[in-house]
Amino acid sequence: MQADSTTPANGWHDPPGDPRYLPIGEHGLIGDLRTVALVGTNGTIDWYCCPRFDAPSVFGSLLDADRGGSFELAADIPYTTKQFYFPDTNVLITRFFADDGVGEIQDFMPIEGGATEADRHRLIRRVTCVRGALPFRALVAPRFDYARQPHTLTRDGELTIFESPSLSLQLSSSVPVEHDDRDVRTRFVLREGERAVFALDRLAPSVEPRGCPLEEAEQLFTATVAFWRKWLSASRYRGRWREIVHRSALTLKLLTYAPTGGIVAAPTTSLPEQIGGQRNWDYRYVWVRDAAFCVYALLRLGFTEEAEAFMDFLDSNVRLSGTGPGGPLQIMYGIDGRSELPEEELPHLEGYRGSRPVRIGNAAVDQLQLDIYGALIDSVYLYNKWGTPISSRRWDELCTLVNWVCDNWDQPDEGVWETRGGRRNFTYSRLMCWVAIERAMRVAGQRGLPADIPRWRDNRDAIYRDIMQHGWSERLQGFVQHFDDELLDAAVLMMPLAKFVSPTDPKWLSTLDALGDSLVSDSLVYRYDPELSPDGLEGPEGTFSICSFWYVEALARAGRVEEARLAFEKMLTYANHLGLYAEQIGHTGEQLGNFPQAFTHLALISAAFNLDHALG
């Protein structure tokens, strides 16, 4: 059936809404280990920040279709599209099928080695007609600094220069282009075997303007494919679901900021957890909470260098001597290690499908979230076990952390979900304080390191008893969200994963049943019920994909392997057409929240690894 350029490639029906916006899941991701671009199935780049993840957007039509700016490139007649990754790489192919022929766009960002070339941040779009003949059109419309800064357009021979007060970009094209005072347009026809190239480069004092001839684009394509395949060849994973596990690994690598080793939670900001809602946050930062999951997943797959780089990020940037609102640790840091992440709203942007506000920065940086201490110390324990033994300096710092946890574990906090409804005594926060002390005791015992073991043991045991007494509901026959209440929270799925309880303990099995009855819908898991447990924000949200993978792993560890396998296979059907996941899944299966989310892909890897092991 003939369709127009808005036809989804993966079969999802577009939910009612503004047709100017593609569904969140109708995107692929390319990047150069410093920043990324989102490419829609219609060939449009509608999200691109340059020169790094947390820089202001250049193309931001994902957050405002009219004002945000974009790089459109598509067939100029009615078409249908399909999108896939060049095998075992992060090179994205978007194919256009029309009555007159078949064409494709190859989108990639070269991984440059030298410091000067790394500053270029080159984005290459190769257009090819593979059958028949096709007309194409392009529109390059940058809007700098989240569409707050004006820019000028000048021509320098075959090059077009977009210049703003804070950033300048250069466009080269192998086909003639037209321009006005700020945008570039072109229409051209390619016949079978013919090719055109567009290259967008950052201009900087260290970067010389230059074009990108067809031959150079071919060489860069070949080199980029080789880079990704060489990187992926280090994977030791040989289990079931290898393709989806490797896609998750490739996605995590794309979300890595190479200069520091930090991994962003997601490369986008303000994609809504509910269309039209206010649950819109900036995720372009490094969360300490991700540390243990990151180190575990990467080491399990064999990517020791990436795990080491992430530990180096923590070692270099996470200062443990602070006394801020969250204690000596912040919950998140900038990709360069900075601690100041002021949150502000951008009222001039309408938000994705009218989902306001659009936020940059993240005020949650000042929250107290006690679980991060367990996450960090667990990552050190895992790395000390499977990677490189930690240094004496790092051990001294960790002892300081553990002693702080001993003094403060019984405080109310904002919790793992960063609620904005006031501090509570979250069961999950207590659980991870237990993990912090227990893992530190393990490291001390394995290495014979000095520690105040009697004090640590007393506090570890006190936390355990506190959870068993106040975090357990006799009526629900389950562990609950807050102490002494009757509300469920999917975060407690971490209890057996963290080895707090046996995965077959009767109390845990009844908790698993309670969660399945109340928070699980067709393998999809809600974090909690916002109506029963107000979190300071209005409106509902989708199911939380990391919790869905935690559920799979908890089922597998409990011996319910067939249930776990079915739930996992169902979860795979909720991925987008490329195997990517946003933070949440909506009521009709659509992706919601920032996209793609590292946490979800980390949990997928862990669930696949453990489920494959359970299946034998």
Side-chain angles (χ1 to χ4, degrees):
M1 183 179 70
Q2 194 68 47
D4 63 19
S5 59
T6 62
T7 301
N10 64 7
W12 291 122
H13 291 290
D14 195 353
D18 193 331
R20 297 174 302 155
Y21 294 90
L22 282 178
I24 291 170
E26 289 291 316
H27 290 88
L29 190 73
I30 60 172
D32 64 357
L33 307 183
R34 286 163 175 79
T35 189
V36 299
L38 289 184
V39 185
T41 51
N42 59 1
T44 295
I45 295 176
D46 53 17
W47 183 253
Y48 175 55
C49 299
C50 187
R52 52 188 234 177
F53 293 105
D54 56 355
S57 63
V58 173
F59 302 132
S61 58
L62 191 64
L63 297 179
D64 194 311
D66 296 328
R67 301 180 186 87
S70 63
F71 189 156
E72 299 176 15
L73 182 57
D76 203 18
I77 55 176
Y79 59 81
T80 58
T81 69
K82 292 184 179 179
Q83 200 175 56
F84 69 100
Y85 279 110
F86 201 77
D88 295 334
T89 77
N90 281 317
V91 175
L92 187 66
I93 313 294
T94 306
R95 309 201 91 198
F96 296 84
F97 300 85
D99 289 342
D100 296 337
V102 178
E104 68 180 37
I105 304 171
Q106 300 169 349
D107 283 309
F108 63 98
M109 296 173 70
I111 313 297
E112 306 288 2
T116 300
E117 285 303 298
D119 290 339
R120 185 174 292 278
H121 299 288
R122 172 167 273 187
L123 194 162
I124 295 179
R125 315 199 73 187
R126 294 207 307 175
V127 193
T128 305
C129 181
V130 296
R131 300 185 69 183
L134 280 181
F136 289 89
R137 58 179 170 80
L139 169 63
V140 186
R143 299 293 182 264
F144 294 88
D145 188 28
Y146 308 108
R148 294 184 295 190
Q149 288 186 3
H151 71 272
T152 59
L153 185 154
T154 58
R155 293 282 290 174
D156 182 5
E158 297 300 314
L159 306 178
T160 303
I161 309 298
F162 303 99
E163 190 169 8
S164 77
S166 61
L167 178 67
S168 296
L169 298 176
Q170 164 215 291
L171 175 72
S172 62
S173 169
S174 64
V175 296
V177 300
E178 299 176 349
H179 64 87
D180 53 24
D181 59 346
R182 63 177 186 169
D183 300 336
V184 166
R185 293 175 174 81
T186 185
R187 280 184 160 86
F188 56 98
V189 176
L190 295 179
R191 292 170 178 80
E192 190 168 323
E194 293 181 338
R195 180 169 287 165
V197 171
F198 297 85
L200 190 67
D201 293 8
R202 176 200 183 203
L203 288 182
S206 59
V207 178
E208 289 293 327
R210 75 163 193 253
C212 186
L214 294 175
E215 298 80 7
E216 182 178 352
E218 176 68 29
Q219 294 169 2
L220 290 170
F221 174 87
T222 301
T224 304
V225 166
F227 172 87
W228 288 114
R229 288 182 169 172
K230 180 180 178 182
W231 179 81
L232 189 61
S233 69
S235 171
R236 296 197 301 260
Y237 185 76
R238 298 293 181 268
R240 301 167 179 83
W241 310 291
R242 182 158 55 168
E243 185 174 347
I244 193 71
V245 167
H246 280 172
R247 177 50 51 198
S248 291
L250 284 162
T251 303
L252 291 174
K253 182 66 172 175
L254 272 182
L255 301 183
T256 302
Y257 184 61
T260 64
I263 298 177
V264 295
T268 56
T269 180
S270 299
L271 291 182
E273 298 173 14
Q274 177 201 15
I275 302 300
Q278 61 178 248
R279 298 171 183 269
N280 317 317
W281 316 109
D282 192 347
Y283 276 14
R284 297 171 298 162
Y285 307 110
V286 182
W287 263 254
V288 171
R289 171 175 305 114
D290 295 11
F293 297 95
C294 174
V295 172
Y296 175 83
L298 292 173
L299 286 175
R300 278 299 197 199
L301 296 182
F303 297 111
T304 55
E305 289 185 7
E306 283 68 29
E308 183 175 357
F310 194 78
M311 292 302 297
D312 286 344
F313 173 87
L314 297 174
D315 194 45
S316 301
N317 299 296
V318 177
R319 295 287 169 248
L320 306 181
S321 57
T323 55
L329 273 185
Q330 289 187 180
I331 69 165
M332 72 183 88
Y333 296 84
I335 56 175
D336 55 1
R338 72 187 187 282
S339 57
E340 299 295 324
L341 307 173
E343 184 176 301
E344 63 175 302
E345 296 181 2
L346 302 181
H348 67 288
L349 297 179
E350 70 174 9
Y352 177 81
R353 290 188 171 170
S355 303
R356 284 191 171 98
V358 173
R359 294 181 173 96
I360 56 175
N362 200 312
V365 70
D366 293 325
Q367 289 188 353
L368 173 64
Q369 297 178 21
L370 292 169
D371 66 281
I372 63 175
Y373 294 90
L376 176 64
I377 296 175
D378 195 27
S379 71
V380 174
Y381 160 73
L382 292 170
Y383 190 68
N384 182 76
K385 179 180 178 181
W386 292 334
T388 303
I390 63 171
S391 67
S392 57
R393 178 184 66 83
R394 196 60 170 174
W395 176 248
D396 290 341
E397 291 180 336
L398 284 178
C399 288
T400 301
L401 277 190
V402 177
N403 289 329
W404 187 90
V405 171
C406 288
D407 291 335
N408 293 277
W409 62 262
D410 56 352
Q411 291 189 58
D413 70 344
E414 276 88 3
V416 61
W417 305 130
E418 299 176 3
T419 59
R420 301 193 179 196
R423 294 182 176 181
R424 303 288 296 273
N425 291 310
F426 286 94
T427 301
Y428 181 80
S429 298
R430 297 291 198 275
L431 165 69
M432 296 307 288
C433 286
W434 179 91
V435 169
I437 301 173
E438 198 274 341
R439 297 303 192 269
M441 291 174 64
R442 287 196 194 193
V443 175
Q446 291 166 357
R447 295 275 307 279
L449 296 171
D452 190 353
I453 295 297
R455 183 190 183 212
W456 292 4
R457 182 184 297 111
D458 288 346
N459 280 275
R460 180 199 64 182
D461 295 349
I463 297 171
Y464 181 89
R465 286 190 289 267
D466 205 33
I467 293 174
M468 288 299 181
Q469 180 178 353
H470 299 289
W472 170 260
S473 166
E474 282 293 335
R475 187 181 72 81
L476 292 180
Q477 285 294 292
F479 292 102
V480 292
Q481 182 178 44
H482 317 111
F483 277 12
D484 301 318
D485 70 14
E486 303 289 327
L487 304 172
L488 293 170
D489 188 329
V492 301
L493 285 164
M494 278 296 296
M495 281 184 160
L497 278 59
K499 297 180 170 56
F500 177 82
V501 297
S502 163
T504 57
D505 186 298
K507 280 191 170 183
W508 172 248
L509 293 178
S510 62
T511 300
L512 195 56
D513 288 337
L515 292 170
D517 292 340
S518 300
L519 296 181
V520 179
S521 173
D522 187 45
S523 83
L524 299 173
V525 181
Y526 292 93
R527 293 189 289 186
Y528 53 88
D529 186 338
E531 292 187 7
L532 297 176
S533 180
D535 54 15
L537 298 166
E538 295 181 1
E541 61 178 15
T543 58
F544 215 68
S545 293
I546 186 175
C547 297
S548 301
F549 287 118
W550 285 352
Y551 184 60
V552 168
E553 192 165 343
L555 287 173
R557 290 173 183 257
R560 295 159 61 175
V561 179
E562 288 304 316
E563 287 181 67
R565 183 171 191 172
L566 181 59
F568 187 75
E569 294 286 359
K570 285 182 176 181
M571 270 304 295
L572 297 187
T573 70
Y574 287 106
N576 85 339
H577 58 290
L578 298 169
L580 304 180
Y581 290 87
E583 183 179 38
Q584 300 186 19
I585 303 294
H587 185 65
T588 59
E590 72 275 17
Q591 305 280 338
L592 292 175
N594 285 308
F595 174 87
Q597 192 204 28
F599 221 173
T600 299
H601 287 277
L602 289 163
L604 184 156
I605 291 171
S606 180
F609 187 93
N610 285 284
L611 178 56
D612 183 69
H613 179 74
L615 288 167

